[in-house]
Structures are given as C-alpha cells and as structure tokens.
C-alpha cells in the first residue's frame, strides 16, 4: 500500500516513538523539512502531566490538558506521518520497528514494520509495583488520562456507596478511607487534591457522611517528597497534619487485597509491626519501571547489560552500543531524574542536534559539488569557488562543534492542598525554598504558562474559574 505521505528518497527517515514530553518537545523544535518524519504512539495526543492530579477530582476536565498530535504535526513546515500504534519490537540489525494497533477498532492490518534510518525512543515508563501481590488487580495508578478518569469515578462511587441506606458504620469508614501509596510528588499532589475535593464540595453536598472521610499516605522512606529540601518536607508534613491527611512513613506495603492494604512498619527499636489499612479507594504511586519494549531493546544490546533503570545514553543521548538510535525522557538514563523538565530539555537538544546534522549533510554535499566543479573546470572562477569552499568549511566546523547535552534545573514545584504549594527554585545561581499560598499562585501561573497551547491555557483557566464559581461536578461519569 501507498504510504500516507510519500517518502522522499533523498532524505533520511527519522522515526520517533511516543507522544510524551520528550518526543513532542523534539517534534516541536525539529525542522521536519530535512527528514521523512514518522511518529508512532498508542496515544494520539500529548498530555500535560503536571496538571493530571487535578483531573482526578474534576477540578480540571481531562481534555483541557490534552493536545491532539495531529494538530501538532499539521503545524510543522515539512510533512509528518503519524501512526496510532504501539512499537512492539525494534530490530537493530535490519533497522526496523515492528508496530501493532492495539486500539478497540482494528482493520485487516494490525501489525506491520516501519524501517528507519534514525530512531528516537521516547516511550516513557510503566508504573512500578515491585511484584507486590494484589497491586495491579486492586489499585488505580496515576499516569495516564484514563487513570485520572477512573479515580474520579471511583471516588464518587465510594461516596455514594457510603451514603447508601443502612450502610454499617464500619463499612462507611472503609469506603471513605482513601489510601495513597508512595510519598513522591505524585502521591503528595493527589492526596492534596483529594482533601480539597472533600472540603470544598463533598462536605457541602453530602454533609452527613463527610466527617468520616479520611486520607492516608503511606511511604516506605523516613519522609515524603525525598527530592525536596528538608525545610519543605517539614512544611508539607505539617500542612498535611492540619489537613488531617495522615502520613505513615517507614511503612512498606507488602500485600494488597480488594478491601485492605497490608503494610510493615519499621519501629525506632528496630522491630517491625504489621498493620492493615481497610480502604475504599487505593491509589498506587510508587514511581517508574521499564516498559517491555525498552527491556527487550536493552537485552538485545550487549553494551546495555549493566544498565538497570533504562537505556544508557551518552552525552549526545545516543543509546550506548546501538547505531542510529537516540533515547529521551523516562526511558533513558542520562543521570537525571525522570521528570517532564528533563524530558523536554532532552527533546529540545535532539531537535537542535538533528537540525544541525541536516545542515552538516547539506554543507558537505555543497563542498563536494564545489570541489568537483573546481576539478572539472580548472581556472574558471577558481578563486571564487575556493573562497566559497572555505566559507562552507568554516560553517561546517562551527555546526559540528555542537556541545553535549547539559540539563539546566529550573526547580521543583508541588501542590500540597488547601491552596498551598512547595517550591525549590533556582534563582540567580542560588536555591530558594518556599511554601504557602503565594507559592501556590506561583505554581498556578508557572503551569498555566507551560501548558501546551493557547487553547489549553484558556480551557484550564475556564476550569479553574468554573470550579471556583460552581464547585466541582460530582456526577459519577
Ligand atoms: P511520557 O510523557 O510518559 O510519554 C511516553 C509516550 O510514549 C506516550 O505518548 C505513550 O503513549 C508512548 N508509548 C508508550 N509505549 C509505547 C510504545 N510501545 N511504542 C510507542 N509509543 C509508546 N514532571 C515534572 O517535571 N513536573 C511535574 O510537575 C510533573 N508532574 C507529574 C504528575 C504526574 C501525575 C505524573 C505521572 C508525572 C509527572 N511528572 C512531572 C513526570 C513527567 O510526566 C514525566 O517525567 C514525563 O512524562 C516523561 O516524559 P517521556 O516523554 O519520557 O514519557
Ligand atoms: P517517586 O519515585 O518520586 O516516588 C515514589 C515513592 O514511593 C518513593 O518515595 C518510594 O519510597 C515509595 N515507595 C515505593 N515502594 C513502596 C511501598 N511498597 N510502600 C510504600 N512506599 C513505597 O514517584 P512519583 O511520585 O510517581 O514521581 C515519578 C517522577 O515524576 C519523579 O521523578 C517525580 O519527580 C516526577 N513528578 C514530579 C512532580 C512535580 O514536580 N510536581 C509531580 C509528579 C511526578
């Protein structure tokens, strides 16, 4: 069959896997006229993850933080082909990606191959469960739009079931107990949003059961938000105390059943105690693990055998031990935390690198043409041609001198509920740690300025305003 966009045989085919922070940042800055660009992802949109916790309570509607990849592709100068599919394997010898349509509606072709000259892997990561029994079957994750929608529905289901006629007191307590496992930024932000939802809306609408509502955050380490400064950890913990969110640190979840979480607490005297937390909703936020595609790719490259947390890349984000493959974001190990900030800077860097590589190829070709014209017709304008060659060589040298990737940390921000946020921000070469309501306004304006498009920005503003005026929509759908 004919490809969607005719392939230009004079250009290299650049295949980009994923439509997340890394891949979309690359696409945004890439001069697509230089390559045959093919984007492959099971998700035909970009998702602004920093505001995902707000979607779990309906403060923000999910479509406000999604941007269709096809409109991003259409805005590019050169054509970009998009296939909604999952890359199932990468054959590095044949330089081919196998792709599979896993969506609900499938045609006669569901699997095929896409050849590449250059490949960028930006497939992100999966939710880690550490093989703890019962986690996959019983908990909600918080990574994708579908997860947030599921949580939103489940919160209201728990509330309505707790309000059911003749519900026993112990069952009301279980149903209204929301347990969050993982005290990283995802767990903390979700716990804060959940508490706001109850205080702002549910308490007013269903006052008779509101006092029974509880949020518990379980963390294996001695404190929450381990990547933030000590002062902000303390601030978060004391704010959670005021918000009546109970934090259980040094508590490691060992098993999950459909109605309870079983955990082990390390006590100061070194002994361990087992506790059981009955729950209505369980949200699991214990960080990342490798996707099968990445694990298989790593296993096929001998130089990756010592890497555990993702594809080891060099300072130009080239996958070590592979030819013509780069990696960005959560699936790559470049020595930085798995954050949107890192992924987007890596994507921007690759765009610059590829734009430069295309210019290099163009200049090299030009030098070759000029040199052969010089050899073919000696004497004819030779001084001019030689000058042009020198000029091109100088330009080429400048372009070839591209500096390695360098991450510039702008700071960390997290929402902690009741209109408070914490921020560790780099400011004039120093670090400023702040927490409170002013930081919350800073958090809101920073994220508002970062959302993908003007359309997204207006939608998010509208959602904030709507919730302020009318409260969140608690319909269970
Ligand atoms: P992703 O953005 O996850 O994108 C991966 C893409 O690959 C997706 O499009 C996916 O559909 C696609 N894909 C998956 N499998 C395949 C396959 N087999 N073939 C092809 N494509 C595939 N970071 C911050 O810096 N600040 C924040 O405030 C912040 N808040 C967050 C809040 C939440 C709730 C979460 C979950 C994360 C947050 N992060 C934040 C972290 C940030 O979202 C990630 O670090 C970032 O998304 C990583 O970008 P990525 O491109 O590597 O992966
Ligand atoms: P994380 O890896 O940052 O935190 C997971 C936490 O779960 C850890 O503190 C770990 O000790 C704990 N844990 C693991 N197993 C456990 C168990 N069995 N029982 C109890 N606790 C357990 O994960 P995250 O919060 O999902 O964040 C992932 C990445 O995304 C991080 O790099 C983070 O910085 C980034 N992120 C940033 C923001 C933000 O900046 N606002 C928000 C969300 C995510």
């Amino acid at each position: 069959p004919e490809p969607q966009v005719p392939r230009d045989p004079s250009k290299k085919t650049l295949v980009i896997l994923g439509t997340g922070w890394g891949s979309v940042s690359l696409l945004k800055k890439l001069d697509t006229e230089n390559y045959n660009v093919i984007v492959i992802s099971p998700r035909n949109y970009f998702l602004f993850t920093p505001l995902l916790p707000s979607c779990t309570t309906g403060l923000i509607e999910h479509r406000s933080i999604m941007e269709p990849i096809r409109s991003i592709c259409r805005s590019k100068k050169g054509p970009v082909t998009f296939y909604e599919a999952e890359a199932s394997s990468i054959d590095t010898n044949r330089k081919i990606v196998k792709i599979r349509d896993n969506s609900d509606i499938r045609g006669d072709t569901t699997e095929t191959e896409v050849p590449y000259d250059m490949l960028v892997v930006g497939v992100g990561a999966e939710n880690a469960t550490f093989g703890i029994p019962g986690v996959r079957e019983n908990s909600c994750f918080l990574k994708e739009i579908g997860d947030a929608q599921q949580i939103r529905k489940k919160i209201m289901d728990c509330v309505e079931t707790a309000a059911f006629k003749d519900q026993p007191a112990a069952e009301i307590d279980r149903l209204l107990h929301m347990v969050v496992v993982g005290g990283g930024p995802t767990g903390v932000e979700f716990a804060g949003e959940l508490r706001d939802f109850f205080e702002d809306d549910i308490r007013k609408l269903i006052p008779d059961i509101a006092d029974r509502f509880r949020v518990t955050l379980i963390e294996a380490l001695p404190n929450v938000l381990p990547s933030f400064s000590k002062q902000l950890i303390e601030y978060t913990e004391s704010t959670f105390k005021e918000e009546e969110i109970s934090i259980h640190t040094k508590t490691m979840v060992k098993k999950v059943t459909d109605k309870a979480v079983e955990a082990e607490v390390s006590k100061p005297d070194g002994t361990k105690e087992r506790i059981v937390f009955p729950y209505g909703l369980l949200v699991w936020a214990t960080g990342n693990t490798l996707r099968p595609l990445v694990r298989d790719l790593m296993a096929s490259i001998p130089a990756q055998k010592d890497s555990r947390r993702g594809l080891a890349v060099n300072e130009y984000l080239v996958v070590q031990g592979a030819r013509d493959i780069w990696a960005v974001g959560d699936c790559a190990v470049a020595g930085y935390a798995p954050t949107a900030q890192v992924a987007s800077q890596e994507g921007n860097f690759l765009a610059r690198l590829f734009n430069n590589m295309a210019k290099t190829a163009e200049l090299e070709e030009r030098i070759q043409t000029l040199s052969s014209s010089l050899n073919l017709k000696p004497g004819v304008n030779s001084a001019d041609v030689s000058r042009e060659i020198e000029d091109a060589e100088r330009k080429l040298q400048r372009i070839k001198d591209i500096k390695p990737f360098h991450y510039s940390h702008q700071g960390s921000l997290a929402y902690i509920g009741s209109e408070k946020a914490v921020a560790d921000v780099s400011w004039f070469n120093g670090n400023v740690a702040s927490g409170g309501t002013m930081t919350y306004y800073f958090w809101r304006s920073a994220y508002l300025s970062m959302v993908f498009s003007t359309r997204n920005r207006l939608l998010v503003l509208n959602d904030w305003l709507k919730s302020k005026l009318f409260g969140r929509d608690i319909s269970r759908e």
Side-chain angles (χ1 to χ4, degrees):
E2 280 296 303
Q4 275 179 356
V5 176
R7 195 180 158 274
D8 180 344
S10 70
K11 294 176 187 170
K12 286 189 170 174
T13 297
L14 168 62
V15 173
I16 303 172
L17 304 183
T19 46
W21 276 98
S23 301
V24 168
S25 305
L26 157 64
L27 191 60
K28 248 168 100 177
K29 293 258 164 77
L30 182 72
D31 189 350
T32 51
E33 282 171 310
N34 295 328
Y35 299 96
N36 296 301
V37 182
I38 302 176
V39 178
I40 298 164
S41 174
R43 202 173 82 183
N44 78 345
Y45 55 87
F46 167 76
L47 172 64
F48 187 79
T49 46
L51 290 178
L52 191 60
S54 301
C55 292
T56 59
T57 61
L59 178 69
I60 287 180
E61 293 296 338
H62 61 277
R63 286 190 180 271
S64 306
I65 56 165
M66 293 158 71
E67 185 70 21
I69 191 72
R70 294 220 177 249
S71 44
I72 302 173
C73 294
R74 214 188 47 195
S75 70
K76 300 300 298 182
K77 253 192 184 164
V80 177
T81 305
F82 173 70
Y83 298 125
E84 191 190 73
E86 200 179 277
S88 50
S89 66
I90 297 165
D91 185 333
T92 51
N93 294 323
R94 288 169 61 220
K95 297 183 90 171
I96 273 174
V97 181
K98 287 196 179 155
I99 65 168
R100 192 189 305 136
D101 179 2
N102 267 343
S103 65
D104 291 344
I105 310 250
R106 295 182 205 169
D108 290 342
T109 305
T110 54
E111 280 185 321
T112 187
E113 294 182 341
V114 178
Y116 66 82
D117 297 308
M118 296 155 73
L119 176 68
V120 176
V121 186
V123 298
E126 266 189 12
N127 295 294
T129 64
F130 308 101
I132 298 171
V135 175
R136 289 218 177 269
E137 301 85 313
N138 299 300
S139 41
C140 295
F141 297 109
L142 183 49
K143 201 169 198 36
E144 297 290 344
I145 273 297
D147 300 331
Q149 286 171 300
Q150 194 191 13
I151 294 174
R152 187 174 174 183
K153 253 189 180 175
K154 277 200 172 178
I155 298 171
M156 281 324 296
D157 207 354
C158 284
V159 171
E160 297 296 2
T161 309
F164 190 71
K165 186 171 179 298
D166 301 332
Q167 198 66 269
E171 192 61 350
I172 296 178
D173 286 340
R174 177 184 73 78
L175 288 162
L176 292 183
H177 188 199
M178 314 273 142
V179 173
V180 184
V181 182
T186 304
V188 165
E189 290 195 321
F190 172 66
E193 296 277 357
L194 197 52
R195 180 259 164 218
D196 287 358
F197 184 29
F198 262 79
E199 289 307 314
D200 299 347
D201 299 302
I202 295 183
R203 183 175 287 284
K204 277 184 222 144
L205 297 168
I206 318 169
D208 31 327
I209 54 164
D211 285 338
R212 317 281 279 276
F213 177 74
R214 282 178 306 139
V215 181
T216 297
L217 182 66
I218 304 178
E219 167 58 52
L221 296 175
N223 55 266
V224 299
L225 292 182
S227 58
F228 281 70
S229 57
K230 193 167 172 280
Q231 171 195 350
L232 293 182
I233 291 171
E234 281 166 10
Y235 181 75
T236 305
E237 291 184 346
S238 74
T239 306
F240 270 21
K241 210 170 190 172
E242 283 166 26
E243 291 170 350
E244 294 179 351
I245 296 172
S246 33
I247 302 181
H248 290 255
T249 50
K250 296 188 188 161
T251 307
M252 171 92 80
V253 173
K254 295 283 183 185
K255 188 181 164 191
V256 172
T257 63
D258 60 343
K259 290 184 178 164
V261 168
E262 293 175 25
E264 201 172 73
V265 193
S266 306
K267 310 238 296 222
D269 62 5
T271 59
K272 294 204 187 307
E273 189 193 343
R274 222 166 162 87
I275 14 175
V276 175
F277 300 89
Y279 70 86
L281 172 81
L282 172 63
V283 172
W284 193 265
T286 62
N288 294 342
T289 189
L290 301 177
R291 289 201 190 276
L293 176 79
V294 174
R295 191 175 304 125
D296 294 348
L297 178 60
M298 286 165 68
S300 74
I301 304 170
Q304 296 282 332
K305 78 173 192 326
D306 293 329
S307 187
R308 292 280 161 272
R309 301 174 64 187
L311 288 159
V313 293
N314 72 9
E315 71 273 33
Y316 289 90
L317 308 181
V318 174
V319 172
Q320 288 184 354
R323 204 162 34 97
D324 299 322
I325 307 182
W326 289 259
V328 286
D330 287 1
C331 66
V333 177
Y336 309 106
T339 65
Q341 215 180 131
V342 170
S344 64
Q345 288 185 28
E346 289 177 343
N348 290 341
F349 171 83
L350 274 197
R352 271 203 316 278
L353 185 76
F354 294 164
N355 292 344
N356 263 8
M357 280 164 69
K359 272 191 221 145
T360 311
E362 199 182 294
L363 280 170
E364 276 170 350
E365 211 170 291
R366 178 153 177 74
I367 291 168
Q368 199 156 22
T369 317
L370 286 169
S371 308
S372 50
S373 83
L374 203 63
N375 296 338
L376 284 175
K377 303 173 203 158
V380 182
N381 286 335
S382 63
D384 285 352
V385 176
S386 303
R387 212 170 306 123
E388 255 191 82
I389 293 177
E390 271 172 35
D391 221 36
E393 276 173 345
R394 257 198 309 276
K395 265 192 201 155
L396 188 64
Q397 200 45 51
R398 262 204 315 273
I399 289 172
K400 276 190 167 171
D401 277 348
I402 182 160
K403 301 261 181 311
F405 173 69
H406 170 73
Y407 169 63
S408 142
H409 186 62
Q410 305 298 306
S412 309
L413 277 169
Y415 181 61
I416 58 171
S418 57
E419 304 202 339
K420 287 177 184 159
V422 286
D424 264 327
V425 189
S426 315
W427 203 273
F428 295 109
N429 293 332
N431 244 343
V432 179
S434 75
T437 307
M438 284 312 289
T439 315
Y440 161 73
Y441 290 115
F442 173 67
W443 173 84
R444 273 206 162 180
S445 43
Y447 282 179
L448 194 63
S449 72
M450 279 188 267
V451 289
F452 191 86
S453 58
T454 311
R455 187 185 72 96
N456 282 161
R457 203 159 296 133
L458 290 176
L459 290 174
V460 167
L461 264 178
N462 183 49
D463 290 342
W464 281 339
L465 187 68
K466 207 171 64 183
S467 307
K468 193 94 197 153
L469 292 178
F470 308 111
R472 296 167 182 81
D473 179 353
I474 66 160
S475 320
R476 188 173 67 82
E477 241 343 292

